[in-house]
């Protein structure tokens, strides 16, 4: 991260995006957010963070049905976020786009800051 003259932080390794964003790019970005904006998909990605797994293992981890897990893995696969490989009769899924975790970490950090600010407001109001 580097600091600009205005004090804002930018990622010096990220490609420069055109501004205003072209409509086609806006749609691609929105599509990516829709794909990961589903709680079950976040759970699956969180589990896959520690390594590849089968649908059966992911079903056991999440408590969801095999059909539900398979459906969400299909969406993640179609979006290029997860990859799969077949070994005999088993299919193993793994994260193909590790950049998804950077996005999740950024969102989690933002949520943590927001919760801390809300807690400070409530603590101050109770005095």
């Amino acid at each position: 991260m580097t600091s600009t003259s205005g004090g804002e932080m930018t990622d010096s390794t990220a490609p420069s995006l055109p501004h205003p964003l072209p409509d086609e790019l806006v749609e691609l970005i929105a599509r990516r957010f829709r794909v990961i904006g589903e709680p079950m998909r976040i759970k699956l990605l969180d589990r896959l963070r520690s390594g590849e797994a089968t649908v059966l293992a992911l079903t056991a981890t999440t408590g969801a049905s095999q059909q539900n897990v398979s459906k969400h893995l299909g969406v993640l696969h179609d979006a290029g976020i997860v990859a799969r490989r077949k070994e005999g009769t088993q299919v193993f899924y793994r994260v193909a786009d590790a950049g998804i975790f950077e996005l999740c970490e950024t969102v989690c950090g933002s949520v943590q800051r927001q919760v801390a600010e809300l807690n400070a407001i409530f603590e101050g109001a109770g005095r």
Side-chain angles (χ1 to χ4, degrees):
M1 297 282 238
T2 57
S3 181
T4 64
S5 59
E8 64 211 36
M9 298 302 286
T10 60
D11 186 344
S12 58
T13 62
S16 179
L17 294 175
H19 293 285
L21 295 172
D23 289 344
E24 297 82 10
L25 183 55
V26 168
E27 181 53 40
L28 288 171
I29 293 167
R31 188 176 310 145
R32 177 59 58 110
F33 278 111
R34 283 192 298 270
V35 167
I36 63 169
E38 160 63 44
M40 178 55 66
R41 294 182 200 138
I42 295 170
K43 286 181 182 183
L44 292 169
L45 289 169
D46 185 50
R47 166 51 187 87
L48 291 172
R49 181 178 219 146
S50 62
E52 67 179 12
T54 63
V55 172
L56 185 61
L58 293 167
T59 298
T61 300
T62 62
S65 70
Q66 182 175 349
Q67 180 182 7
N68 193 23
V69 168
S70 293
K71 175 186 81 166
H72 289 295
L73 287 169
V75 172
L76 291 166
H77 181 264
D78 290 346
I81 296 171
V82 299
R84 58 185 171 212
R85 69 175 178 86
K86 193 166 184 173
E87 188 175 294
T89 60
Q90 292 188 315
V91 178
F92 291 85
Y93 288 85
R94 70 182 187 294
V95 174
D97 180 359
I100 204 72
F101 295 126
E102 294 173 33
L103 179 59
C104 289
E105 293 293 331
T106 298
V107 171
C108 286
S110 177
V111 169
Q112 286 176 326
R113 284 188 298 279
Q114 187 177 22
V115 167
E117 290 169 5
L118 289 172
N119 283 335
I121 290 169
F122 285 118
E123 289 173 4
R127 293 182 186 169

